[in-house]
Amino acid sequence: MSEARFDQRIREHYESEKLSAEALERLKRTIADQQGRAESGGWKRGWRMAFAAAMLIAISGSLLVVERTFSPLTRAAAKEAAREHNLRLEVEIVTADYAELRARMSNVGFSPVEPDSMKGAGMRLIGARYGSLRGQPAIQLKLADARGEICTLIQVRPSGALTGVVGRRRHHVDGLVVDLWREKGLVMVLTRPLA
Amino acid sequence: MPLSVIGEQQPKPDPLDELLQSGYRYALSLTHYRADAEDLLQDASTAIARAGGKWDKAYLFASIRNRFIDRYRRNRKILFIPLEGVSEQSWDDGWDLPDVIQGEALQKALARLRVDERETLFLAVVEGFSAQEIATMTNRPRGTVLSVLHRTKSKLRRFLQGGGESTHE
């Protein structure tokens, strides 16, 4: 058998594997249902949306300038954070206690903090390691969310390319959600799987 | 005037159906079990729907892959072994296999491959992605992808010829 024929046989094997019509329909219904839920909230709050849209238009001029300037920077940081998340590197310090992390991780000129915006979100600290983001020394915290999904929170000083992180930004990278924001004098970059 | 006979046109397949079927096969290449593949696809596609994500192959495959890694990491199973940690074995270049390979034999041989080998084989041979594209999708150097692909085909051929080798899964 030639290699080409061998490849063809592998193709035939996989192409013979199909979701049954029933499973496919069930999946499409689930997808439509999820999309419908995501959209229905918006219809119910129609007037609020209209108001929000008006406000958005009012401030979009100034934001556009900021967006055009900083979006590529935050996207690059988000991509790097997603890559780091996917590397799944082991933590250097295993702890569920932020105070212990602060005591043991002080080699980057700042101490890791628990972001207020994540308190009450059911995120459990697993540990941390040193790392970098956009060339800046950083601390990578590993967290488990309420569903047990592993998330990576990078904390770094807002210097160099990261000065551009203002407000809260969200990027989707390779099936991951990456949020960037500033808090307690640091840039926070949280990478997690889609909910 | 006689009417010309026009052949009935096949209904155009739904692009979402085709995408989901591709996603299912990719999930199957990772899990090797139909039920697990279906679960994985469902998780990934409903997550995309909730997030209003893009419905394209690259996005769906990435979502499937990330979920697969998360799920199996949690179960502490060995997933992807770096190439450096695997002894290279080479076989002669003859393709002395029977003209007909039975589905069951192929299924069993595929089950003996490691996940990264099966995934690389699927992406290259079935989906037709280039080595560079696979390297980007799987965060590995292009040379590693080419090496894994070559080794996987040799290994699979050996399995089909009745040869043995310990599996890593």
mmCIF file of all heavy atoms in Angstrom, chain B residues 144-166:
data_model
loop_
_atom_site.group_PDB
_atom_site.id
_atom_site.type_symbol
_atom_site.label_atom_id
_atom_site.label_comp_id
_atom_site.label_asym_id
_atom_site.label_seq_id
_atom_site.Cartn_x
_atom_site.Cartn_y
_atom_site.Cartn_z
ATOM 1 N N THR B 144 8.994 19.968 14.974
ATOM 2 C CA THR B 144 8.447 18.937 15.862
ATOM 3 C C THR B 144 7.208 18.310 15.236
ATOM 4 O O THR B 144 7.018 17.092 15.275
ATOM 5 C CB THR B 144 8.096 19.563 17.232
ATOM 6 O OG1 THR B 144 9.271 20.145 17.769
ATOM 7 C CG2 THR B 144 7.551 18.523 18.195
ATOM 8 N N VAL B 145 6.375 19.151 14.645
ATOM 9 C CA VAL B 145 5.151 18.650 14.009
ATOM 10 C C VAL B 145 5.497 17.660 12.895
ATOM 11 O O VAL B 145 4.925 16.568 12.810
ATOM 12 C CB VAL B 145 4.310 19.826 13.450
ATOM 13 C CG1 VAL B 145 3.172 19.318 12.574
ATOM 14 C CG2 VAL B 145 3.762 20.673 14.585
ATOM 15 N N LEU B 146 6.467 18.056 12.066
ATOM 16 C CA LEU B 146 6.856 17.177 10.950
ATOM 17 C C LEU B 146 7.406 15.845 11.470
ATOM 18 O O LEU B 146 7.097 14.784 10.939
ATOM 19 C CB LEU B 146 7.907 17.879 10.082
ATOM 20 C CG LEU B 146 7.367 19.024 9.224
ATOM 21 C CD1 LEU B 146 8.503 19.833 8.625
ATOM 22 C CD2 LEU B 146 6.459 18.475 8.118
ATOM 23 N N SER B 147 8.207 15.947 12.518
ATOM 24 C CA SER B 147 8.801 14.743 13.089
ATOM 25 C C SER B 147 7.728 13.827 13.696
ATOM 26 O O SER B 147 7.741 12.611 13.506
ATOM 27 C CB SER B 147 9.822 15.161 14.149
ATOM 28 O OG SER B 147 10.395 14.034 14.718
ATOM 29 N N VAL B 148 6.797 14.447 14.432
ATOM 30 C CA VAL B 148 5.715 13.658 15.042
ATOM 31 C C VAL B 148 4.891 12.979 13.949
ATOM 32 O O VAL B 148 4.537 11.797 14.067
ATOM 33 C CB VAL B 148 4.804 14.559 15.919
ATOM 34 C CG1 VAL B 148 3.531 13.824 16.316
ATOM 35 C CG2 VAL B 148 5.550 14.990 17.174
ATOM 36 N N LEU B 149 4.617 13.718 12.889
ATOM 37 C CA LEU B 149 3.798 13.160 11.811
ATOM 38 C C LEU B 149 4.487 11.953 11.168
ATOM 39 O O LEU B 149 3.876 10.895 10.958
ATOM 40 C CB LEU B 149 3.511 14.243 10.763
ATOM 41 C CG LEU B 149 2.605 13.829 9.617
ATOM 42 C CD1 LEU B 149 1.243 13.376 10.128
ATOM 43 C CD2 LEU B 149 2.423 14.981 8.628
ATOM 44 N N HIS B 150 5.773 12.109 10.896
ATOM 45 C CA HIS B 150 6.523 11.020 10.266
ATOM 46 C C HIS B 150 6.550 9.795 11.184
ATOM 47 O O HIS B 150 6.281 8.670 10.773
ATOM 48 C CB HIS B 150 7.944 11.489 9.960
ATOM 49 C CG HIS B 150 8.832 10.390 9.460
ATOM 50 N ND1 HIS B 150 8.736 9.906 8.169
ATOM 51 C CD2 HIS B 150 9.794 9.666 10.082
ATOM 52 C CE1 HIS B 150 9.616 8.918 8.021
ATOM 53 N NE2 HIS B 150 10.270 8.767 9.162
ATOM 54 N N ARG B 151 6.851 10.073 12.458
ATOM 55 C CA ARG B 151 6.970 8.973 13.411
ATOM 56 C C ARG B 151 5.623 8.271 13.612
ATOM 57 O O ARG B 151 5.531 7.065 13.727
ATOM 58 C CB ARG B 151 7.488 9.503 14.741
ATOM 59 C CG ARG B 151 7.977 8.411 15.658
ATOM 60 C CD ARG B 151 8.387 8.962 17.003
ATOM 61 N NE ARG B 151 7.307 9.676 17.635
ATOM 62 C CZ ARG B 151 7.390 10.892 18.125
ATOM 63 N NH1 ARG B 151 8.514 11.563 18.023
ATOM 64 N NH2 ARG B 151 6.368 11.465 18.697
ATOM 65 N N THR B 152 4.556 9.091 13.617
ATOM 66 C CA THR B 152 3.229 8.519 13.854
ATOM 67 C C THR B 152 2.815 7.577 12.731
ATOM 68 O O THR B 152 2.276 6.497 12.972
ATOM 69 C CB THR B 152 2.192 9.663 13.990
ATOM 70 O OG1 THR B 152 2.602 10.504 15.054
ATOM 71 C CG2 THR B 152 0.809 9.128 14.274
ATOM 72 N N LYS B 153 3.109 7.994 11.511
ATOM 73 C CA LYS B 153 2.747 7.125 10.384
ATOM 74 C C LYS B 153 3.528 5.813 10.452
ATOM 75 O O LYS B 153 2.984 4.733 10.194
ATOM 76 C CB LYS B 153 3.023 7.847 9.056
ATOM 77 C CG LYS B 153 1.981 8.895 8.734
ATOM 78 C CD LYS B 153 2.218 9.435 7.336
ATOM 79 C CE LYS B 153 1.227 10.507 6.982
ATOM 80 N NZ LYS B 153 1.408 11.000 5.611
ATOM 81 N N SER B 154 4.807 5.934 10.801
ATOM 82 C CA SER B 154 5.628 4.718 10.905
ATOM 83 C C SER B 154 5.092 3.802 12.000
ATOM 84 O O SER B 154 4.993 2.583 11.839
ATOM 85 C CB SER B 154 7.075 5.087 11.234
ATOM 86 O OG SER B 154 7.603 5.867 10.207
ATOM 87 N N LYS B 155 4.742 4.432 13.106
ATOM 88 C CA LYS B 155 4.249 3.680 14.259
ATOM 89 C C LYS B 155 2.924 2.979 13.926
ATOM 90 O O LYS B 155 2.732 1.800 14.229
ATOM 91 C CB LYS B 155 4.030 4.678 15.393
ATOM 92 C CG LYS B 155 4.081 4.130 16.779
ATOM 93 C CD LYS B 155 4.139 5.339 17.729
ATOM 94 C CE LYS B 155 3.924 4.953 19.154
ATOM 95 N NZ LYS B 155 3.928 6.138 20.018
ATOM 96 N N LEU B 156 2.071 3.730 13.272
ATOM 97 C CA LEU B 156 0.759 3.192 12.916
ATOM 98 C C LEU B 156 0.915 2.010 11.955
ATOM 99 O O LEU B 156 0.250 0.982 12.073
ATOM 100 C CB LEU B 156 -0.072 4.315 12.272
ATOM 101 C CG LEU B 156 -1.563 4.104 12.120
ATOM 102 C CD1 LEU B 156 -2.213 3.777 13.447
ATOM 103 C CD2 LEU B 156 -2.210 5.374 11.564
ATOM 104 N N ARG B 157 1.828 2.192 11.009
ATOM 105 C CA ARG B 157 2.085 1.126 10.042
ATOM 106 C C ARG B 157 2.595 -0.123 10.757
ATOM 107 O O ARG B 157 2.191 -1.242 10.466
ATOM 108 C CB ARG B 157 3.131 1.618 9.035
ATOM 109 C CG ARG B 157 3.265 0.758 7.807
ATOM 110 C CD ARG B 157 4.395 1.261 6.963
ATOM 111 N NE ARG B 157 5.661 1.111 7.668
ATOM 112 C CZ ARG B 157 6.784 1.699 7.298
ATOM 113 N NH1 ARG B 157 6.796 2.512 6.274
ATOM 114 N NH2 ARG B 157 7.889 1.493 7.951
ATOM 115 N N ARG B 158 3.464 0.112 11.715
ATOM 116 C CA ARG B 158 4.017 -1.008 12.480
ATOM 117 C C ARG B 158 2.912 -1.736 13.244
ATOM 118 O O ARG B 158 2.871 -2.970 13.264
ATOM 119 C CB ARG B 158 5.070 -0.468 13.452
ATOM 120 C CG ARG B 158 5.794 -1.519 14.252
ATOM 121 C CD ARG B 158 6.770 -0.795 15.170
ATOM 122 N NE ARG B 158 7.303 -1.661 16.198
ATOM 123 C CZ ARG B 158 8.432 -2.341 16.061
ATOM 124 N NH1 ARG B 158 9.105 -2.278 14.933
ATOM 125 N NH2 ARG B 158 8.870 -3.094 17.049
ATOM 126 N N PHE B 159 2.032 -0.952 13.860
ATOM 127 C CA PHE B 159 0.917 -1.564 14.588
ATOM 128 C C PHE B 159 0.056 -2.408 13.649
ATOM 129 O O PHE B 159 -0.398 -3.495 13.986
ATOM 130 C CB PHE B 159 0.038 -0.490 15.247
ATOM 131 C CG PHE B 159 0.692 0.231 16.395
ATOM 132 C CD1 PHE B 159 0.243 1.488 16.780
ATOM 133 C CD2 PHE B 159 1.748 -0.330 17.107
ATOM 134 C CE1 PHE B 159 0.840 2.167 17.838
ATOM 135 C CE2 PHE B 159 2.348 0.346 18.165
ATOM 136 C CZ PHE B 159 1.888 1.595 18.516
ATOM 137 N N LEU B 160 -0.173 -1.866 12.459
ATOM 138 C CA LEU B 160 -1.040 -2.565 11.513
ATOM 139 C C LEU B 160 -0.377 -3.825 10.954
ATOM 140 O O LEU B 160 -1.045 -4.741 10.499
ATOM 141 C CB LEU B 160 -1.442 -1.621 10.370
ATOM 142 C CG LEU B 160 -2.432 -0.526 10.797
ATOM 143 C CD1 LEU B 160 -2.502 0.584 9.757
ATOM 144 C CD2 LEU B 160 -3.814 -1.115 11.028
ATOM 145 N N GLN B 161 0.959 -3.793 11.010
ATOM 146 C CA GLN B 161 1.672 -4.986 10.546
ATOM 147 C C GLN B 161 1.764 -6.038 11.653
ATOM 148 O O GLN B 161 2.381 -7.073 11.478
ATOM 149 C CB GLN B 161 3.089 -4.604 10.104
ATOM 150 C CG GLN B 161 3.110 -3.880 8.768
ATOM 151 C CD GLN B 161 4.459 -3.239 8.503
ATOM 152 O OE1 GLN B 161 5.223 -2.967 9.422
ATOM 153 N NE2 GLN B 161 4.753 -2.981 7.243
ATOM 154 N N GLY B 162 1.212 -5.687 12.801
ATOM 155 C CA GLY B 162 1.205 -6.643 13.909
ATOM 156 C C GLY B 162 2.325 -6.444 14.886
ATOM 157 O O GLY B 162 2.503 -7.218 15.815
ATOM 158 N N GLY B 163 3.107 -5.359 14.719
ATOM 159 C CA GLY B 163 4.198 -5.068 15.632
ATOM 160 C C GLY B 163 3.664 -4.474 16.909
ATOM 161 O O GLY B 163 2.546 -4.002 16.977
ATOM 162 N N GLY B 164 4.466 -4.476 17.951
ATOM 163 C CA GLY B 164 4.010 -3.932 19.230
ATOM 164 C C GLY B 164 4.929 -2.859 19.731
ATOM 165 O O GLY B 164 6.062 -2.759 19.329
ATOM 166 N N GLU B 165 4.386 -2.071 20.601
ATOM 167 C CA GLU B 165 5.166 -1.051 21.297
ATOM 168 C C GLU B 165 4.321 -0.592 22.455
ATOM 169 O O GLU B 165 3.109 -0.522 22.348
ATOM 170 C CB GLU B 165 5.451 0.137 20.377
ATOM 171 C CG GLU B 165 6.370 1.143 21.028
ATOM 172 C CD GLU B 165 6.513 2.394 20.170
ATOM 173 O OE1 GLU B 165 7.204 2.315 19.146
ATOM 174 O OE2 GLU B 165 5.930 3.421 20.527
ATOM 175 N N SER B 166 4.983 -0.316 23.551
ATOM 176 C CA SER B 166 4.202 0.116 24.703
ATOM 177 C C SER B 166 3.555 1.460 24.415
ATOM 178 O O SER B 166 4.123 2.295 23.738
ATOM 179 C CB SER B 166 5.101 0.248 25.924
ATOM 180 O OG SER B 166 6.061 1.244 25.670
#
